[in-house]
Amino acid sequence: MQQTFRLIIDCPDQIGLVAAVSEFLAQQQATILEANHHSDRQLGRFFMRHEIMADTVNLDKQALEQAFAPIAERFNMRWRITDSLQKQRVALLASHESHCLNDLLHRWHSGELACDIPCIIANHPQMKQFADWYKVPFHWVDFKNQDKTAAFKEIATLLEAYNIDLTVLARFMQILPDTLCEQLAGRAINIHHSFLPSFAGAKPYQQAYERGVKLIGATCHYVTQDLDEGPIIEQEVIRISHSDTAADMVRKGKNCETTALAAGVRYHLEDRVIIHQNKTVVFA
Amino acid sequence: MQQTFRLIIDCPDQIGLVAAVSEFLAQQQATILEANHHSDRQLGRFFMRHEIMADTVNLDKQALEQAFAPIAERFNMRWRITDSLQKQRVALLASHESHCLNDLLHRWHSGELACDIPCIIANHPQMKQFADWYKVPFHWVDFKNQDKTAAFKEIATLLEAYNIDLTVLARFMQILPDTLCEQLAGRAINIHHSFLPSFAGAKPYQQAYERGVKLIGATCHYVTQDLDEGPIIEQEVIRISHSDTAADMVRKGKNCETTALAAGVRYHLEDRVIIHQNKTVVFA
Amino acid sequence: MQQTFRLIIDCPDQIGLVAAVSEFLAQQQATILEANHHSDRQLGRFFMRHEIMADTVNLDKQALEQAFAPIAERFNMRWRITDSLQKQRVALLASHESHCLNDLLHRWHSGELACDIPCIIANHPQMKQFADWYKVPFHWVDFKNQDKTAAFKEIATLLEAYNIDLTVLARFMQILPDTLCEQLAGRAINIHHSFLPSFAGAKPYQQAYERGVKLIGATCHYVTQDLDEGPIIEQEVIRISHSDTAADMVRKGKNCETTALAAGVRYHLEDRVIIHQNKTVVFA
Amino acid sequence: MQQTFRLIIDCPDQIGLVAAVSEFLAQQQATILEANHHSDRQLGRFFMRHEIMADTVNLDKQALEQAFAPIAERFNMRWRITDSLQKQRVALLASHESHCLNDLLHRWHSGELACDIPCIIANHPQMKQFADWYKVPFHWVDFKNQDKTAAFKEIATLLEAYNIDLTVLARFMQILPDTLCEQLAGRAINIHHSFLPSFAGAKPYQQAYERGVKLIGATCHYVTQDLDEGPIIEQEVIRISHSDTAADMVRKGKNCETTALAAGVRYHLEDRVIIHQNKTVVFA
């Protein structure tokens, strides 16, 4: 995989902003692989992502950051430069449903998700078999024989010990405590098995059955203290009919869940998502 | 168009039920064009629709009803037989948005919707031009210079005078009073511009913008006293992104609205929908 | 509607290109509403569209063109600047199927398609009623009592007399002669009722029925001398099953046709499409 | 899982047919879980599937078959009764792409696909790791150091030795010889990575890139001697744009491939597919 640098920016919209950034990149002789802009007229805010070939610039990442800093300051930017070769460290949190876990692990293993997965944490021991096959350390956190505070403290300790950049709740069926949500703000992704805001909370398929909707879906979003209310990254839906039983809905929904979660995680890992307030700009 | 009879049944699920109905149809020498069954195991209820070629049976509709009545009684059926040539009389209620009105009128005019449209009722006078072109009587009901009770009384009187079978709210932006909802139960169809239950109530696109969803949609449902809570017939969604402005969402949403409403109305006119409790079985 | 200028560019990919363009726009004090870039690495070609608020720059369109010309020359650009208030003149060509004609006219009438429609040309007289209602001059070209060469000469004359910018074949069922294709290159849009390249040529729904596909669709593309082989702008598909008759497929397909054609025409009118070789870049 | 019997029928359409079948089922006191009918008016052929609860009838499968045989003969039926507990034996054929293999194995392991998988056969040794984890015997057939005839003879021998009911080509990149196609007629399912009939043959994504289509897809079909021309069971598509590189298309296409193949295999295993001529009726 070729090395790229990604320059991610958001700031108040101003004239001269794009010119300054592209002038800077041209001066570095950067070959631009992908450039995306978005101007939110309602907010007066500008969002921008550049992906450039690292070997076309003469500076390393740190020097590039130093060179760019004055521009960032001038335009009051929230910004970062990332290096595609510095893989993020991702922890997968799972419970007893294995479809998302299996799907993410396979995509990672086949190179679709460019990250490291230093650990899997689960509240059910049987997920260990997946971890073992992929040779990923597995941690079973017991949610039955200790209280939740203790269990989540275990998890927080693990995330810190493994130096985790991104926590993915791959159908992890426990609600994260507020302190952990805060700590992981913008760095924890969940998959909810409905097209939010419909059927938030528990048992969305049962809710969908009862309401008689003709579509079910899944929502990949950042975890926040407000349950199922975090910034949405991706959503998928699928058509159902009266003839779909609860079991059919679960089966069909799983396809939505795996697809939406995998897409959301990939967007995050490739620095394609910018969170602003409670929404996302996704340069897909 | 060839004449068909449609036999629509729902009843408690019982052994021998299908045999009795199909034996009856075979005795009449009926050629079955389409047969649909659905057994809701959770409710223990059976739903069935047959469409048969009228000229293959020796009885007319009334005689057929008489012949079938004993079977219906034996199995405690809710049932009806309809004749495809006896077109339903449909009233279109509109406001100032013309896309659904235009779409339904065109589908009707081109023969896709087999019904009569004896009148259009609107709370904005400019819809008259559509009515005129299609040579449909137009009634402007003034919602500004009289109170709503009076306005809705006018509407109710018109629906009765025209002997209306089905009332379609084609983006009619007034909330029907409870008495009218009751009167039209199962015979009034609305289009809501969101994928319900998300964003019920007013301004769903603004709600969608604020929540940052990645999909918008439309829901075609029967009108009930509980606003936006009636049995859903059809739903459509379309993908959006951060780059879609409010205007883009309205434009994209309109495609969902016209498609979902036209489908829902067609299903109803072809007797493909069976309402049970607050849900529908749609033999699409 | 606010006035905007659109700057559309494609050229060999080069470092400094984006910087030069955005520097130029910043110098004009242009407020950028929308900016889109695409670099085709395989072709080494760059595509770019800017939409700017006209009243934020001090120059009129002509002066802006003069000011930009040296940059265009330096980077060997194929380029143009368009003014959103200078509406394109669109001719609709129709036959006996009215769904696309009705749909485009309604979108135009309701302001969704920003263009002028100075004429409708059809080979069936009954489309006149649509033209009349929308107060658009209607020309019936007789394809039965004269040979095709003469008929197409009539059409070419009309297109020239009306000073047409874009010709839309809204289910116009005649094959344009090569000379007309050449003349209208990049300025004539067709809708084909299949997801090309599947089922090119005549009777795509019959072909789809015979092959037993589970999806049907429609393709909006530029007209070229190679029938059904021109650059694709937009495609839509819809799921079908064994239970869909030929008539069902036609009905479902029509929804795809109207949606794909309306989208394609809008993209063209808003200068969102750049044709390169036999493909399109669409900044949707 | 509860035991069910499935009665699958196709025959010339005749009056009295449904009555005879449902009368028979009622006499057996069968509780019908699901019933599907399809009458192809163009062919004059009738297709039917019943799924009944085994413990509600007093006969075992063999006795049921004997009791039904006279009816089948009377109506000249092609028919079979299957027992949901007699799982089909499925062989997975794979090459070096693991996404379909991984997906099918996981669905099987988690109970979504009710079958036995007695062996995996591949022309690349590295798939062994998947087989090992799932504890499925793995056979590497060498296509490099022996000629194809010998290699396919090995495969045919394995399929026979394992007493295989269904052979699934999970991105197995070798073309089956005619004799094997014949032998496995109606019992071998392939996944092709395009929405057939578009881009049949090799490198469909490259073909799609060159043609500039706006949708890519996948097709699950029965294997026949006419390459990529067999009866289609399921198709999936996904939207692409000019910005999708070949790698993006491969990634997006994989989601279509896994979904379509898994659905097609499930339909087959649940006896939901009836092949007639070169098409399928799928009671999904």
Side-chain angles (χ1 to χ4, degrees):
Chain A
M1 206 177 72
Q2 72 182 335
Q3 187 183 17
T4 63
F5 293 141
R6 299 167 192 144
L7 171 58
I8 316 299
I9 295 165
D10 72 285
C11 62
D13 204 350
Q14 298 145 79
I15 286 169
L17 176 54
V18 181
V21 174
S22 34
E23 183 62 32
F24 171 81
L25 292 175
Q27 276 165 0
Q28 312 306 324
Q29 293 291 309
T31 293
I32 300 173
L33 287 174
E34 210 182 314
N36 288 286
H37 304 180
H38 172 58
S39 166
D40 189 315
R41 310 291 306 164
Q42 203 157 332
L43 297 170
R45 198 156 183 93
F46 193 77
F47 303 83
M48 193 185 231
R49 178 187 186 273
H50 281 92
E51 182 147 13
I52 62 177
M53 287 173 62
D55 60 6
T56 61
V57 299
N58 285 321
L59 307 178
D60 64 10
K61 181 169 165 279
Q62 205 183 346
L64 203 64
E65 286 168 339
Q66 279 169 357
F68 187 70
I71 296 172
E73 197 165 355
R74 171 146 65 100
F75 290 98
N76 193 22
M77 293 175 176
R78 206 170 55 140
W79 68 289
R80 66 183 188 278
I81 293 174
T82 63
D83 175 347
S84 69
L85 295 190
Q86 285 185 323
K87 293 188 180 169
Q88 290 194 42
R89 297 171 62 79
V90 178
L92 301 181
L93 267 58
S95 184
H96 60 270
E97 291 271 25
S98 60
H99 56 290
C100 284
L101 185 68
N102 175 68
D103 182 74
L104 289 174
L105 286 168
H106 181 263
R107 289 180 198 262
W108 163 68
H109 186 250
S110 64
E112 185 181 314
L113 295 177
C115 62
D116 290 327
I117 301 188
C119 69
I120 295 170
I121 304 170
N123 64 347
H124 278 262
Q126 75 263 39
M127 293 298 116
K128 187 174 189 302
Q129 53 183 338
F130 288 91
D132 285 353
W133 191 81
Y134 285 102
K135 300 189 179 66
V136 174
F138 177 84
H139 297 273
W140 171 39
V141 174
D142 189 341
F143 274 74
K144 291 228 165 123
N145 302 309
Q146 62 180 335
D147 67 15
K148 291 208 173 187
T149 314
F152 275 113
K153 206 171 163 203
E154 250 188 77
I155 290 178
T157 304
L158 283 165
L159 296 178
E160 211 179 323
Y162 278 109
N163 197 20
I164 293 302
D165 296 305
L166 175 68
T167 302
V168 176
L169 284 68
R171 296 298 308 278
F172 181 65
M173 306 199 182
Q174 302 287 338
I175 298 168
L176 264 54
D178 282 6
T179 49
L180 200 52
C181 288
E182 252 176 83
Q183 227 171 291
L184 303 178
R187 302 188 300 117
I189 290 178
N190 184 43
I191 182 74
H192 188 272
H193 41 318
S194 87
F195 54 101
L196 292 174
S198 288
F199 312 130
K203 304 207 173 176
Y205 294 128
Q206 183 59 25
Q207 291 183 61
Y209 172 81
E210 277 161 20
R211 182 60 188 92
V213 288
K214 302 300 183 187
L215 297 163
I216 56 168
T219 302
C220 177
H221 64 94
Y222 286 104
V223 174
T224 60
Q225 289 159 278
D226 300 309
L227 188 65
D228 301 336
E229 303 258 319
I232 293 171
I233 311 172
E234 179 64 310
Q235 297 188 290
E236 286 284 340
V237 287
I238 192 166
R239 199 165 279 278
I240 57 165
S241 81
H242 59 265
S243 70
D244 284 299
T245 62
D248 292 327
M249 285 167 59
V250 168
R251 179 176 45 71
K252 288 186 168 184
K254 281 179 179 175
N255 286 346
C256 292
E257 294 164 36
T258 51
T259 308
L261 181 58
V265 168
R266 188 173 60 81
Y267 294 150
H268 181 93
L269 293 176
E270 296 177 5
D271 298 302
R272 297 181 178 280
V273 190
I274 305 177
I275 303 175
H276 182 72
Q277 292 171 354
N278 203 44
K279 293 163 62 173
T280 63
V281 168
V282 180
F283 292 125
Chain B
M1 206 177 72
Q2 70 181 339
Q3 187 184 17
T4 63
F5 292 141
R6 298 168 193 144
L7 171 59
I8 318 300
I9 295 165
D10 72 283
C11 62
D13 205 350
Q14 299 145 77
I15 285 168
L17 175 54
V18 181
V21 174
S22 36
E23 182 63 32
F24 170 81
L25 292 174
Q27 277 165 0
Q28 312 304 326
Q29 293 290 311
T31 294
I32 299 172
L33 287 174
E34 211 182 313
N36 288 286
H37 303 180
H38 172 57
S39 166
D40 189 315
R41 310 291 307 164
Q42 205 156 332
L43 297 170
R45 197 156 184 92
F46 192 76
F47 304 83
M48 192 186 234
R49 179 189 186 271
H50 281 92
E51 183 148 15
I52 62 176
M53 287 173 64
D55 61 5
T56 61
V57 299
N58 285 320
L59 307 178
D60 64 10
K61 179 167 166 281
Q62 205 183 343
L64 204 64
E65 286 168 341
Q66 279 170 357
F68 187 69
I71 296 171
E73 197 168 353
R74 171 146 65 101
F75 290 100
N76 193 21
M77 295 175 176
R78 205 171 54 144
W79 69 291
R80 67 182 187 279
I81 294 175
T82 63
D83 176 348
S84 68
L85 295 190
Q86 285 186 321
K87 292 186 181 172
Q88 291 195 43
R89 296 171 63 78
V90 178
L92 302 182
L93 269 57
S95 184
H96 59 271
E97 291 272 26
S98 60
H99 56 289
C100 285
L101 186 67
N102 175 69
D103 183 74
L104 289 175
L105 286 168
H106 181 264
R107 289 180 199 263
W108 164 67
H109 186 251
S110 64
E112 185 181 314
L113 294 176
C115 61
D116 291 325
I117 301 189
C119 69
I120 295 170
I121 304 170
N123 64 347
H124 277 263
Q126 74 263 37
M127 291 300 116
K128 188 175 187 304
Q129 52 182 340
F130 289 91
D132 285 354
W133 192 81
Y134 285 102
K135 301 190 179 62
V136 174
F138 177 82
H139 297 274
W140 171 38
V141 174
D142 189 341
F143 273 75
K144 290 228 164 123
N145 300 309
Q146 61 178 335
D147 69 13
K148 292 210 173 185
T149 314
F152 275 113
K153 207 174 159 200
E154 251 187 75
I155 291 178
T157 305
L158 284 165
L159 297 178
E160 211 179 323
Y162 278 109
N163 198 18
I164 293 302
D165 296 306
L166 176 68
T167 302
V168 176
L169 285 67
R171 294 299 307 277
F172 181 64
M173 305 199 184
Q174 302 287 338
I175 298 167
L176 263 54
D178 283 5
T179 49
L180 200 52
C181 289
E182 249 175 86
Q183 228 171 291
L184 304 178
R187 301 187 301 119
I189 290 179
N190 184 44
I191 182 73
H192 188 272
H193 41 315
S194 87
F195 54 100
L196 292 173
S198 289
F199 312 131
K203 305 205 173 179
Y205 294 129
Q206 183 58 26
Q207 291 183 59
Y209 172 82
E210 278 162 20
R211 183 59 188 92
V213 287
K214 302 302 184 188
L215 296 164
I216 56 168
T219 303
C220 176
H221 64 94
Y222 286 103
V223 175
T224 59
Q225 290 159 276
D226 300 309
L227 189 63
D228 302 335
E229 303 260 318
I232 293 172
I233 311 171
E234 179 63 310
Q235 297 189 290
E236 286 285 339
V237 287
I238 193 166
R239 198 163 280 279
I240 57 165
S241 82
H242 59 267
S243 71
D244 284 299
T245 62
D248 292 328
M249 284 166 59
V250 168
R251 179 175 46 70
K252 287 186 169 184
K254 281 180 179 175
N255 287 345
C256 293
E257 294 165 36
T258 51
T259 308
L261 181 58
V265 169
R266 188 172 61 80
Y267 294 150
H268 181 93
L269 293 176
E270 295 177 5
D271 299 302
R272 296 181 177 283
V273 190
I274 305 177
I275 303 175
H276 184 72
Q277 293 173 354
N278 202 44
K279 293 164 63 172
T280 63
V281 168
V282 180
F283 292 123
Chain C
M1 205 177 72
Q2 71 181 338
Q3 187 184 16
T4 63
F5 292 142
R6 297 166 193 147
L7 171 57
I8 317 301
I9 293 164
D10 71 285
C11 62
D13 205 350
Q14 299 145 79
I15 284 168
L17 176 56
V18 181
V21 174
S22 37
E23 183 62 33
F24 170 81
L25 292 175
Q27 276 165 1
Q28 311 306 325
Q29 294 290 309
T31 294
I32 300 172
L33 287 173
E34 212 182 312
N36 288 287
H37 303 181
H38 171 58
S39 166
D40 188 314
R41 310 291 306 163
Q42 204 156 331
L43 298 169
R45 196 154 184 93
F46 192 76
F47 304 84
M48 192 186 233
R49 179 189 186 272
H50 281 92
E51 183 149 13
I52 62 177
M53 286 172 65
D55 61 4
T56 61
V57 299
N58 284 323
L59 307 178
D60 64 11
K61 179 168 167 281
Q62 206 184 343
L64 203 64
E65 286 167 340
Q66 278 170 358
F68 187 69
I71 296 171
E73 198 167 353
R74 171 146 65 102
F75 289 100
N76 193 21
M77 293 175 177
R78 205 170 54 141
W79 68 291
R80 67 183 188 278
I81 294 175
T82 63
D83 176 347
S84 68
L85 295 190
Q86 285 185 320
K87 291 186 181 171
Q88 291 195 43
R89 295 170 65 78
V90 178
L92 302 182
L93 268 57
S95 185
H96 59 269
E97 290 272 25
S98 60
H99 56 289
C100 284
L101 185 68
N102 174 70
D103 183 75
L104 289 175
L105 286 168
H106 181 263
R107 289 180 199 262
W108 164 67
H109 187 251
S110 65
E112 186 182 312
L113 294 177
C115 62
D116 290 328
I117 300 187
C119 69
I120 295 170
I121 304 172
N123 64 348
H124 277 263
Q126 74 263 36
M127 292 298 118
K128 188 174 188 303
Q129 52 182 338
F130 288 92
D132 285 354
W133 191 82
Y134 284 102
K135 300 189 180 63
V136 175
F138 176 83
H139 298 273
W140 171 39
V141 174
D142 190 340
F143 273 74
K144 291 225 165 129
N145 301 310
Q146 61 180 334
D147 67 14
K148 291 209 174 186
T149 314
F152 274 114
K153 207 174 159 200
E154 251 188 75
I155 291 179
T157 305
L158 283 165
L159 297 178
E160 211 179 323
Y162 278 110
N163 198 18
I164 293 303
D165 296 306
L166 175 68
T167 302
V168 176
L169 284 68
R171 292 301 305 278
F172 180 63
M173 305 197 183
Q174 302 288 337
I175 298 167
L176 264 54
D178 283 5
T179 50
L180 200 54
C181 288
E182 251 175 83
Q183 227 171 291
L184 303 179
R187 302 188 301 117
I189 291 178
N190 184 45
I191 182 75
H192 188 273
H193 41 316
S194 87
F195 54 100
L196 292 173
S198 288
F199 312 130
K203 305 206 173 178
Y205 294 129
Q206 183 59 26
Q207 291 184 59
Y209 172 81
E210 278 161 20
R211 181 61 188 91
V213 288
K214 301 302 184 189
L215 296 164
I216 57 168
T219 303
C220 176
H221 64 94
Y222 285 104
V223 175
T224 60
Q225 289 159 274
D226 300 310
L227 189 65
D228 301 337
E229 302 260 318
I232 294 172
I233 311 172
E234 179 64 311
Q235 298 188 289
E236 286 284 339
V237 287
I238 193 166
R239 198 163 280 278
I240 56 164
S241 82
H242 59 267
S243 70
D244 284 297
T245 62
D248 291 329
M249 284 167 60
V250 168
R251 179 175 44 71
K252 287 186 168 183
K254 281 180 178 175
N255 287 345
C256 292
E257 295 165 36
T258 52
T259 308
L261 181 58
V265 169
R266 188 172 61 80
Y267 294 151
H268 181 92
L269 294 176
E270 296 177 4
D271 299 301
R272 296 181 177 281
V273 189
I274 304 177
I275 303 175
H276 183 72
Q277 294 171 352
N278 202 44
K279 295 164 61 173
T280 63
V281 169
V282 180
F283 292 125
Chain D
M1 205 177 71
Q2 72 182 337
Q3 187 183 16
T4 62
F5 293 140
R6 298 167 193 146
L7 172 58
I8 317 300
I9 294 165
D10 71 286
C11 62
D13 205 350
Q14 299 145 79
I15 286 169
L17 176 56
V18 182
V21 174
S22 34
E23 182 64 29
F24 170 81
L25 293 175
Q27 275 165 2
Q28 311 306 326
Q29 294 289 311
T31 294
I32 299 172
L33 287 174
E34 211 182 315
N36 289 286
H37 303 181
H38 171 58
S39 167
D40 189 314
R41 308 292 307 163
Q42 203 156 332
L43 298 170
R45 197 158 183 90
F46 192 77
F47 304 84
M48 193 186 231
R49 178 188 186 274
H50 280 92
E51 183 147 15
I52 62 177
M53 287 172 64
D55 61 4
T56 61
V57 299
N58 284 323
L59 306 177
D60 63 11
K61 180 169 165 281
Q62 204 183 346
L64 203 63
E65 286 167 340
Q66 278 169 357
F68 187 69
I71 297 172
E73 196 167 353
R74 171 146 65 103
F75 290 99
N76 193 20
M77 293 174 177
R78 206 169 55 142
W79 68 290
R80 67 184 187 277
I81 294 173
T82 63
D83 175 348
S84 68
L85 294 191
Q86 285 185 319
K87 293 187 181 172
Q88 290 194 44
R89 295 171 64 79
V90 178
L92 302 182
L93 267 58
S95 183
H96 59 270
E97 291 272 25
S98 60
H99 56 289
C100 284
L101 185 68
N102 175 68
D103 183 75
L104 289 175
L105 285 168
H106 181 262
R107 289 180 199 262
W108 163 68
H109 187 251
S110 65
E112 186 182 313
L113 294 177
C115 61
D116 289 328
I117 300 187
C119 69
I120 294 171
I121 303 171
N123 64 346
H124 278 262
Q126 75 264 39
M127 292 300 117
K128 187 173 189 303
Q129 52 183 338
F130 288 91
D132 286 353
W133 192 80
Y134 285 102
K135 300 188 179 65
V136 174
F138 177 83
H139 298 272
W140 173 38
V141 173
D142 190 341
F143 273 74
K144 292 227 165 124
N145 301 310
Q146 63 179 333
D147 67 15
K148 289 209 175 188
T149 314
F152 274 113
K153 206 173 160 201
E154 250 188 75
I155 291 178
T157 304
L158 283 165
L159 297 178
E160 211 180 322
Y162 277 110
N163 198 18
I164 293 302
D165 296 304
L166 176 69
T167 303
V168 177
L169 284 68
R171 293 301 307 278
F172 180 65
M173 306 199 181
Q174 302 288 336
I175 298 169
L176 264 53
D178 283 5
T179 49
L180 200 52
C181 288
E182 250 176 85
Q183 226 171 293
L184 303 179
R187 302 188 300 118
I189 290 178
N190 184 44
I191 183 74
H192 188 271
H193 40 319
S194 87
F195 55 100
L196 291 173
S198 288
F199 312 131
K203 304 206 174 175
Y205 294 130
Q206 184 58 26
Q207 292 184 59
Y209 171 82
E210 278 161 20
R211 181 62 188 90
V213 288
K214 302 301 184 188
L215 296 164
I216 56 168
T219 303
C220 176
H221 64 94
Y222 286 103
V223 175
T224 59
Q225 289 159 279
D226 301 308
L227 189 65
D228 301 337
E229 303 261 318
I232 294 172
I233 311 172
E234 179 64 310
Q235 297 189 290
E236 286 285 339
V237 287
I238 192 166
R239 199 164 279 279
I240 58 165
S241 81
H242 58 267
S243 70
D244 284 298
T245 62
D248 291 329
M249 283 167 60
V250 168
R251 179 176 44 70
K252 287 185 168 185
K254 281 179 179 175
N255 287 345
C256 292
E257 294 164 36
T258 50
T259 308
L261 181 57
V265 168
R266 188 173 60 79
Y267 293 151
H268 181 94
L269 293 176
E270 295 177 5
D271 299 302
R272 296 180 177 280
V273 190
I274 304 177
I275 303 176
H276 183 71
Q277 294 172 352
N278 202 44
K279 293 163 62 173
T280 63
V281 168
V282 180
F283 292 124

